[in-house]
Amino acid sequence: YAGVVHNGIDPDLYPLQEEKEDFLLFIGRTHPDKGPLRAVAAARAAGLPLVMAVKAAERGELEHWEHDVKPALPEGTEVLSEIPHHRKVDLMGRARAVLFPIDWNEPFGLVQTEAMACGTPVIATPRGAVPEIVVDGETGFIVPVDGYAEAAALAIRQAGEIDPKACRRHVEERFSAEGMISSYEAVFERVLSEG
């Protein structure tokens, strides 16, 4: 173990959009660990439309989608398969919030930084690297896995209080490609100096 280097993105590829619309967004695989069913429940609890850009290709993903998630979809849910970058940033920029209801120790989760770069708060669970990425109450909200729907619905009502520019700044300061490169260089320099 030499140190932690967070993934970086090019913020220029994720335009900031300050005006939000009344829908929620889930982007991810349809595996239970990713929480698509929790996202559906949160949208229901919040009373807002849901857009889901999903990947359902592997057996576990397909089974969970067909047997659990699809039957629970509220009327009017927009379901998209894997989408190109321009469509993704358009949706991320316009959404009131991006739902990230994971239930596994995900090492990073680029969707979080991509959404925040667009100025959109993330409603996530405290699994994996989430507490290192989302600043609770400033760039989104971290809510429990158990009772996610209800807690997320409360957070979604507060999402308008999150400053889109603060979300963007957070990514530029901590998760840019340049920052990632600098972090790698620092780790390499430290390892070599200890060598």
Side-chain angles (χ1 to χ4, degrees):
Y1 174 79
V4 174
V5 176
H6 291 116
N7 289 329
I9 62 170
D10 180 353
D12 291 342
L13 298 176
Y14 299 88
L16 172 65
Q17 184 159 332
E18 296 186 59
E19 296 298 318
K20 304 301 175 185
E21 297 177 21
D22 279 339
F23 71 91
L24 303 169
L25 178 63
F26 172 88
I27 295 180
R29 295 182 297 115
T30 59
H31 191 279
D33 286 348
K34 289 293 205 172
L37 191 55
R38 282 185 291 281
V40 169
R44 281 186 180 278
L48 287 174
L50 177 64
V51 176
M52 301 186 82
V54 297
K55 173 191 167 278
E58 297 174 17
R59 184 177 175 185
E61 296 167 354
L62 289 166
E63 287 177 358
H64 185 53
W65 177 256
E66 290 298 326
H67 296 115
D68 303 317
V69 182
K70 196 172 176 183
L73 294 176
E75 187 174 334
T77 300
E78 184 177 357
V79 178
L80 308 166
S81 60
E82 296 177 70
I83 54 177
H85 179 79
H86 73 276
R87 180 79 168 120
K88 177 173 69 172
V89 297
D90 172 62
L91 289 168
M92 283 181 164
R94 292 187 294 115
R96 182 186 290 189
V98 169
L99 304 178
F100 196 76
I102 60 170
D103 193 13
W104 73 292
N105 289 325
E106 186 160 353
F108 192 76
L110 279 173
V111 166
Q112 298 170 95
T113 53
E114 292 172 332
M116 291 186 296
C118 294
T120 301
V122 177
I123 314 295
T125 51
R127 297 287 196 255
V130 166
E132 299 172 41
I133 299 168
V134 175
V135 181
D136 191 40
E138 290 182 30
T139 66
F141 297 94
I142 300 175
V143 300
V145 173
D146 296 328
Y148 178 83
E150 295 75 19
L154 290 173
I156 289 161
R157 285 196 276 279
Q158 297 175 311
E161 299 169 16
I162 300 288
D163 179 3
K165 290 179 181 174
C167 293
R168 173 74 175 202
R169 238 184 345 266
H170 178 61
V171 172
E172 290 172 338
E173 291 170 359
R174 298 210 45 226
F175 304 109
S176 69
E178 291 79 12
M180 180 181 68
I181 291 166
S182 296
S183 294
Y184 272 118
E185 289 173 342
V187 169
F188 293 149
E189 287 170 4
R190 189 176 67 249
V191 170
L192 290 172
S193 68
E194 294 170 358

